[in-house]
Amino acid sequence: MPDVRMASPRGRWILLTTVLGSSMALLDSTVVNVALPRIGRDLDADLAVLQWTVNAYLLTLAGLILLGGSLGDHYGRRKVFVIGVVWFAAASLLCGIAPNAGVLIAARALQGVGGALLTPGSLALIQASFHHDDRGRAVGLWSGFGGIGAAVGPFLGGWLVDGPGWRWVFLLNVPLAVVCVPVALRHVPESDGRPVRADAAAGAAGPSGDTSARAAAGAGAGAGKARPHGRPHVPFDVLGAFLGALALALVTYALIEAPGGSTGVVSVAAVAGLAAGAAFVVVERRSADPMLPLDIFASRQFTAVNLVTLCVYAAFGGFFFLSAVQLQVVVGWSALGAGTALLPTTVLMLLLSARSGELAEHIGPRIPLTVGPLLCAAGMLLMLRVGPGASYAADVLPAVLVLGCGMVTLVAPLTATVLASVDVSRAGVASGVNNAAARAAGLVAVAALPLLTGMSAEAYRSATAFDEAFGRAMVLCAAVLVVGAVLAFATVRRPAPDCRRPECRTHGSVLAPPLEGERTKGRLTLGDG
């Protein structure tokens, strides 16, 4: 039974290493967009390279994050977390010294693998280590500090790009890992997926609604069958993970390469991607222990909220990819100015997400999930005012404030509604699916928007050409958000979810919902999106 107290030196060390680990992944997801114009210029790269710089990371992260929690359950969560941190740091070093675009893209894909290992593990270690009386506070601090890291990311990225250079956006992860790994090995207790006795579980279900961290990563829907030596059997759906990642990769390739690539090659990639997606569904349907149990979609509410998630996070992914480039290439701001300009969205989420969650509990999720996307759509339409000579106070700030208010309105209720739409024993896998869906939506948006808006391979080098395509992209993103609002209004119903766990309310990630854990009947499975 976990017994580390928050006030103890060991408790503080555990919190430090988990915050450092998760912050590496959070920072990387926010700082890279700010660096894209400088990366393109220094590597003499076209727009497709900039898309792959973002998407190579998202591709492996989205494809493997559901598997990452299972590995932690089987081999030990501290071990997998440390491997993920070391892997992420090594890939970051490779990004920082990449001599050309090909190496950078490959290194970004490797970063995503590291992220899929360390992201579920950071929350898992907190949930598996702290005494139940302190677990809620620990998770709240972990979420809050992670949100602060996400908020600082664009500012820090802009400062690095304008100062020592864009390569330090990646190299910064190396010293963080140098601190994180020894602390984890020395101070964090190991944990695996062994089920805890029912009496211990009853005492451990503290005020945070403490849960299965393995399920928090969406890795599975139960503790598995016990082996004779006491360790549970944790299945590895390697074929499912491979087919899911392959489908995403091929579809992404087809979308990115369509404007200038060979029609035959693009067509083959698109067809093969769809075929891999169909094969993934077949494998998951027939598997005894699928990575993605398809019967979870029998809940109409769960399916509907995930469709809303796809719409919302596709728009967010497209916005944050293009807006940082727009502010630098078209408006003429520095990387630091562009990164700072987008800070209000994350700051508003950090300050107001908890109040938004409380409001949704009183009035139900339908109104927040309808109004929130509409506010975000209005914010993106206000970005149409952001062009050459734009003023921050008159043009940019109103847009990001309205967008931030929309995010505040919808993100916490969306996460809570996902958890409330399935049986409590499946909350973890539901959260993992929702998190992966959001990342996949952003991945596809970054790949598809330049194609849909007629953005040429060299568009980001021309202020006029990029400005025109950016305007069309914002209209498309706003339209997708309106579709999400209509879906929410038509399909989301009470009862209002009751999500009192701190990680549901206090976070600053604008590119994916927070990962959650799983409460099980009669036992508590400790492990970790």
Side-chain angles (χ1 to χ4, degrees):
M1 181 176 176
D3 58 358
V4 178
R5 302 308 300 246
M6 187 69 219
S8 68
R10 191 179 200 185
R12 290 191 287 269
W13 282 118
I14 293 172
L15 186 63
L16 172 65
T17 193
T18 52
V19 167
L20 284 177
S22 61
S23 293
M24 287 170 62
L26 271 175
L27 278 170
D28 220 66
S29 66
T30 56
V31 301
V32 172
N33 287 340
V34 177
L36 289 175
R38 196 68 59 86
I39 291 173
R41 187 184 72 188
D42 287 359
L43 297 182
D44 191 27
D46 61 15
L47 182 65
V49 169
L50 304 190
Q51 290 172 276
W52 278 117
T53 300
V54 173
N55 275 355
Y57 175 79
L58 289 177
L59 178 63
T60 49
L61 180 62
L64 299 176
I65 196 169
L66 295 179
L67 198 59
S70 288
L71 292 171
D73 274 354
H74 189 75
Y75 294 110
R77 299 188 181 94
R78 184 188 66 178
K79 181 185 295 183
V80 172
F81 172 76
V82 168
I83 291 172
V85 171
V86 172
W87 188 308
F88 194 92
S92 297
L93 177 62
L94 186 55
C95 288
I97 64 175
N100 54 54
V103 174
L104 176 62
I105 291 168
R108 286 286 285 162
L110 291 174
Q111 266 193 317
V113 176
L117 296 176
L118 74 87
T119 299
S122 60
L123 177 59
L125 291 175
I126 286 182
Q127 292 179 319
S129 302
F130 281 99
H131 189 277
H132 65 84
D133 289 339
D134 291 340
R135 201 171 293 135
R137 181 170 172 238
V139 173
L141 288 171
W142 172 84
S143 301
F145 281 123
I148 291 170
V152 171
F155 175 85
L156 179 62
W159 179 78
L160 289 172
V161 170
D162 288 339
W166 63 266
R167 295 181 183 275
W168 282 94
V169 167
F170 302 106
L171 295 175
L172 179 66
N173 292 321
V174 177
L176 292 178
V178 168
V179 175
C180 181
V181 171
V183 172
L185 293 175
R186 181 176 177 83
H187 297 285
V188 178
E190 183 59 280
S191 64
D192 57 27
R194 282 191 294 268
V196 180
R197 295 193 327 268
D199 57 342
S208 66
D210 181 54
T211 62
S212 161
R214 157 177 153 354
K225 298 178 180 178
R227 291 180 175 179
H229 61 279
R231 186 182 295 274
H233 168 65
V234 182
F236 297 108
D237 186 8
V238 176
L239 181 58
F242 171 76
L243 288 172
L246 180 64
L248 284 173
L250 290 171
V251 170
T252 300
Y253 175 85
L255 291 171
I256 292 178
E257 299 298 326
S262 165
T263 302
V265 173
V266 169
S267 299
V268 169
V271 172
L274 294 175
F280 170 77
V281 172
V282 172
V283 167
E284 297 305 280
R285 187 182 297 276
R286 294 180 177 178
S287 174
D289 295 295
M291 180 181 74
L292 174 60
L294 297 179
D295 62 332
I296 196 171
F297 292 99
S299 166
R300 295 178 62 185
Q301 183 92 323
F302 178 77
T303 302
V305 175
N306 275 283
L307 290 174
V308 175
T309 297
L310 290 173
C311 294
V312 166
Y313 283 95
F316 290 171
F319 171 81
F320 285 103
F321 170 64
L322 296 175
S323 59
V325 181
Q326 173 79 359
L327 292 173
Q328 293 177 70
V329 171
V330 177
V331 183
W333 292 351
S334 65
L336 177 59
T340 306
L342 302 175
L343 276 177
T345 54
T346 305
V347 172
L348 283 171
M349 287 183 65
L350 282 172
L351 295 176
L352 300 176
S353 283
R355 294 180 181 241
S356 171
E358 291 169 2
L359 177 64
E361 287 178 2
H362 288 297
I363 67 175
R366 186 185 186 192
I367 292 177
L369 294 184
T370 301
V371 173
L374 293 177
L375 283 173
C376 291
M380 291 188 186
L381 292 178
L382 284 173
M383 286 295 292
L384 296 175
R385 296 163 47 89
V386 178
S391 160
Y392 181 72
D395 301 314
V396 180
L397 184 59
V400 295
L401 285 178
V402 172
L403 177 64
C405 288
M407 290 179 170
V408 165
T409 303
L410 73 90
V411 170
L414 183 146
T415 303
T417 306
V418 166
L419 297 180
S421 64
V422 297
D423 186 84
V424 68
S425 66
R426 311 194 79 181
V429 70
S431 173
V433 170
N434 188 244
N435 186 277
R439 296 182 188 278
L443 169 76
V444 173
V446 170
L449 270 177
L451 173 64
L452 296 175
T453 58
M455 199 176 288
S456 69
E458 302 298 321
Y460 81 96
R461 302 181 191 276
S462 166
T464 301
F466 193 88
D467 188 39
E468 292 175 355
F470 178 80
R472 292 191 289 269
M474 290 302 98
V475 172
L476 278 175
C477 288
V480 171
L481 284 164
V482 170
V483 171
V486 171
L487 277 172
F489 185 79
T491 60
V492 174
R493 294 291 181 270
R494 274 187 181 269
D498 182 14
C499 182
R500 300 185 183 279
R501 279 165 282 173
E503 67 269 31
C504 178
R505 298 278 194 77
T506 308
H507 63 91
S509 177
V510 296
L511 297 178
L515 285 166
E516 298 296 332
E518 170 183 21
R519 223 164 6 210
T520 57
K521 297 177 181 178
R523 70 172 184 271
L524 181 66
T525 310
L526 296 174
D528 182 272

